[in-house]
Amino acid sequence: METKAGRRSLTWLLLTWGVTRLLLLLWVFKVYVFPGPDVTSDVSVIYQGWYDVLRTGTFPQSDVTWQYPPAAALAILSPALLPFLEYTQAFFVLAFVADLAALLLLLYAGRRPGRRLRGAWVWVAGVPLLGPTVYSRYDVMVTAVAIAAVLAAARHPKVAGALVGFGALLKVWPALILVGIRRRSVWASAVATVVVVAGLFAVAMPGAFAFLTFQRERGTEVESLGSLVFHIARRHGWDGSVLLNYGSVEFLGPWVTAVSTAALALTGMAFGLLLLWRLTATRFEAHTAADAALVAVLMFTTTSRVISPQYMVWLVGLAAACLCFRASRMGLPAVLVLAACFVTVLEFPIWFADVVGSTPRGIILLLVRNGLLVLATVIGMRELWRSTAPKQTPPPPVPDQPTTPARETSTSS
């Protein structure tokens, strides 16, 4: 009976994945037009522009929107693998393939002893909640690499380390997977991969590390947690503006620098808390690396100056990796992440004009979405701490004290 039920669950999972991914493809290929601004323009305009530059053997050093580590060039150049398709078509197909690869990894992991398919269900449900944005950014490719790294950490440490290192050179955040890993072989493999791959890019292609300057100069993006200050302030006469700046829609004007600095300080405090956890944690189990990775990326995302919609793909992937493990404590944070994905597609792209205009609807959507992320972060950190903190051993019982018989007193008459 259990086998039959398991097969039925797997059938429904694959059917749901197929239907939802067909819908995503119909959206990005514009068979059906998704509400809101065209999210595929990043591929047809920005990515293809970078592609033309990268093919010449150099990075787009004069383009401030290029804010990615050197291995990101491989993702941008990957449509060349399908020369019989146009660039945008090839990119969408490869994003679909990365989505499928992530699913297969989660299915393989979820069917092992002590695991479950709930993680695969999180991926199947979470990705389409974000709409066509998922296939219009290369983040789904990075997330597939991160999922593979997390799932390989216990049994294949050197492979996991190499995947973490390569993922970090694709988009930095996969480096946070190392937070919950103690095995030195994983760290050594990650460092070696970064040194070798980064060195090759530095020698072969000029401008490999120009992205560091561009990232440092970013401001407060309109969807971030800190942006709520300015959305509300605009309703009360704040005289700043909203402009496309460094590749995203950001606030510019009085106090923006202060809020951006506060966001960086908050990120520093969050990582300080992670460091404190790492120094005090004593119980590391098979699921700890996945749980810690999700919490770390939640902290990074929630406190960041920028919370772009594609960041949610990272959280869905790590939440799915967590829930492959039966013992994971990240069930509630995963549900909150899925809820935040649904609100995200409402604020971008459907009602993004309301967000940019700081209308009541736009502000409410951001309050709800960012509130869900904050709640997921707090609950995730609490559960991670509880599951890894030293066990409180009760004090040894006090042995019974021997009783001394009372002396008899005699009175003489």
Side-chain angles (χ1 to χ4, degrees):
M1 272 317 265
E2 290 183 3
T3 303
K4 188 175 181 180
R7 288 176 180 173
R8 188 182 300 114
S9 175
L10 180 60
T11 300
W12 277 108
L13 188 149
L14 294 174
L15 181 62
T16 305
W17 184 87
V19 171
T20 54
R21 273 39 179 197
L22 175 61
L23 188 58
L24 287 176
L25 288 172
L26 291 175
W27 281 331
V28 293
F29 281 103
K30 297 182 182 177
V31 177
Y32 297 107
V33 178
F34 197 81
D38 181 13
V39 300
T40 65
S41 61
D42 273 22
V43 179
S44 59
V45 178
I46 299 175
Y47 284 12
Q48 190 159 7
W50 290 340
Y51 173 81
D52 293 336
V53 175
L54 290 166
R55 284 194 308 168
T56 66
T58 183
F59 285 89
Q61 303 176 63
S62 60
D63 186 350
V64 296
T65 62
W66 177 261
Q67 300 171 9
Y68 308 108
L74 300 178
I76 303 302
L77 291 169
S78 62
L81 296 172
L82 304 175
F84 49 88
L85 294 176
E86 295 180 0
Y87 182 86
T88 54
Q89 295 173 341
F91 187 90
F92 297 147
V93 170
L94 291 173
F96 169 83
V97 171
D99 180 3
L100 176 60
L103 174 68
L104 295 177
L105 287 167
L106 293 165
L107 286 176
Y108 176 77
R111 293 170 68 85
R112 295 183 60 81
R115 310 287 181 87
R116 57 185 178 183
L117 289 178
R118 191 174 297 181
W121 272 111
V122 169
W123 181 254
V124 168
V127 167
L129 284 177
L130 293 168
T133 302
V134 176
Y135 285 0
S136 303
R137 308 289 188 272
Y138 82 91
D139 295 80
V140 66
M141 304 174 185
V142 183
T143 303
V145 174
I147 290 172
V150 169
L151 297 178
R155 302 180 68 226
H156 306 286
K158 292 183 179 179
V159 173
L163 289 169
V164 169
F166 181 65
L169 288 174
L170 281 170
K171 210 165 187 182
V172 180
W173 68 265
L176 295 172
I177 295 171
L178 293 173
V179 167
I181 295 178
R182 293 192 299 177
R183 300 181 71 167
R184 293 182 179 178
S185 55
V186 177
W187 283 77
S189 179
V191 171
T193 301
V194 168
V195 170
V196 171
V197 176
L200 289 174
F201 273 108
V203 172
M205 296 180 68
F209 299 98
F211 76 98
L212 295 171
T213 301
F214 301 151
Q215 275 287 355
R216 185 176 65 246
E217 296 174 354
R218 294 196 73 162
T220 297
E221 190 254 351
V222 294
E223 298 164 277
S224 65
L225 185 64
S227 74
L228 287 166
V229 174
F230 300 110
H231 283 295
I232 296 171
R234 286 177 85 188
R235 309 290 299 178
H236 297 84
W238 181 72
D239 60 353
S241 58
V242 177
L243 295 173
L244 184 63
N245 189 51
Y246 288 97
S248 63
V249 182
E250 298 179 353
F251 281 109
L252 299 175
W255 301 104
V256 172
T257 301
V259 171
S260 297
T261 303
L264 290 173
L266 193 59
T267 300
M269 292 170 62
F271 288 147
L273 181 60
L274 275 175
L275 178 60
L276 179 61
W277 163 77
R278 187 66 177 76
L279 294 174
T280 58
T282 58
R283 292 184 290 150
F284 285 76
E285 301 178 30
H287 62 88
T288 302
D291 288 1
L294 175 59
V295 171
V297 176
L298 270 169
M299 286 183 163
F300 170 80
T301 302
T302 305
T303 62
S304 175
R305 295 170 294 172
V306 179
I307 306 182
S308 296
Q310 60 266 28
Y311 290 15
M312 301 301 299
V313 184
W314 317 345
L315 300 177
V316 171
L318 292 176
C322 288
L323 294 196
C324 283
F325 298 91
R326 291 186 180 276
S328 174
R329 304 284 289 269
M330 295 296 128
L332 182 53
V335 171
L336 293 171
V337 165
L338 293 180
C341 287
F342 176 69
V343 183
T344 297
V345 81
L346 295 179
E347 62 91 0
F348 183 89
I350 295 178
W351 285 313
F352 191 58
D354 288 274
V355 172
V356 174
S358 300
T359 68
R361 177 163 60 185
I363 294 173
I364 290 171
L365 286 172
L366 287 180
L367 280 170
V368 173
R369 196 280 301 272
N370 292 344
L372 288 168
L373 289 179
V374 170
L375 187 59
T377 303
V378 172
I379 293 175
M381 187 70 242
R382 183 192 66 184
E383 294 300 322
L384 179 65
W385 202 289
R386 286 180 175 178
S387 65
T388 57
K391 287 186 176 180
Q392 298 294 329
T393 55
V398 179
D400 295 335
Q401 297 294 329
T403 56
T404 304
R407 294 182 180 179
E408 295 183 358
T409 56
S410 56
T411 57
S412 55
S413 53

